Amino acid sequence: MSTKKRTILSAAQKREICETKENEPSLSNVELAQKYNIRKSTVTDILNEKERWLAISGDQGKIKKFRSPKWSQLENALSLWVDNALNTKQDIDGNILKTKANFFARQFSIEDFHQSEGWLCGFKKRHGLHQFKKQGEASSAPSAESIENDRFALQQFLEPYNPEDI
């Protein structure tokens, strides 16, 4: 009895199978299976989810196992917030992401969310976020959030005084 070694395809390879089938419809699933050293049933399963595999792009192509996030609603909201923050040139670090995630968890009434380092690492990986160290003048400039906090603190401090006394 010969046992076949298990072949795990990346998302890019699955996309390639779908594209090959689209470009050459006369190619049988058996021929595709032989080309990639997988079973015919695996090719059939991949082709049944063709839209999913054709939508894969960039870094997602390297992924071999897809696990959807436990709190997809929270992650979608946080992802939108991150996109907006990056578009307005705000600095974002892990602590800010955790704080915002906690905020969204409360908004969506998610009781079992814990903003752990593992969750944060996974979120960054799923959304292609990387940490960069600013150099030179850019590193010494205060963040927009820091400026806003300082402005608020100054307003609180000056509140008991008359404007002409300031």
Side-chain angles (χ1 to χ4, degrees):
M1 175 173 113
S2 69
T3 58
K4 188 171 184 169
K5 188 173 188 282
R6 183 180 175 107
T7 304
I8 299 174
L9 299 175
S10 68
Q13 289 172 310
K14 292 176 182 179
R15 182 183 64 225
E16 191 178 306
I17 289 171
C18 294
E19 289 170 347
T20 304
K21 186 66 173 182
E22 274 189 346
N23 295 335
E24 301 175 44
S26 62
L27 197 62
S28 73
N29 290 2
V30 173
E31 292 170 317
L32 277 172
Q34 289 170 345
K35 181 179 177 184
Y36 288 93
N37 194 27
I38 55 177
R39 292 196 167 97
K40 177 188 170 274
S41 62
T42 305
V43 172
T44 305
D45 291 344
I46 291 168
L47 293 175
N48 284 339
E49 294 189 67
K50 181 170 56 173
E51 293 81 25
R52 175 183 178 186
W53 300 121
L54 291 174
I56 298 295
S57 63
D59 285 345
Q60 291 179 322
K62 298 174 190 168
I63 298 172
K64 293 192 177 186
K65 288 189 178 182
F66 284 82
R67 295 180 188 96
S68 60
K70 185 175 180 182
W71 305 283
S72 58
Q73 187 180 23
L74 179 145
E75 289 212 5
N76 291 338
L78 187 60
S79 177
L80 283 172
W81 179 85
V82 167
D83 288 344
N84 288 334
L86 292 176
N87 288 336
T88 58
K89 307 266 191 273
Q90 292 182 33
D91 291 336
I92 302 172
D93 65 9
N95 291 330
I96 292 172
L97 286 175
K98 286 180 180 181
T99 303
K100 275 297 177 185
N102 219 16
F103 168 78
F104 287 125
R106 285 193 310 274
Q107 294 297 312
F108 297 127
S109 302
I110 298 172
E111 305 274 325
D112 61 338
F113 176 73
H114 306 287
Q115 71 276 15
S116 66
E117 285 299 318
W119 169 83
L120 179 63
C121 183
F123 176 80
K124 288 179 181 178
K125 193 180 281 186
R126 283 187 291 277
H127 296 277
L129 298 175
H130 304 282
Q131 187 168 344
F132 298 101
K133 185 165 177 64
K134 290 186 175 181
Q135 302 292 324
E137 276 187 46
S139 66
S140 64
S143 68
E145 195 170 317
S146 164
I147 291 171
E148 193 60 39
N149 290 341
D150 291 347
R151 182 177 292 137
F152 181 74
L154 182 61
Q155 287 172 349
Q156 296 300 315
F157 178 76
L158 296 175
E159 191 175 359
Y161 300 99
N162 290 325
E164 59 271 1
D165 292 338
I166 298 175

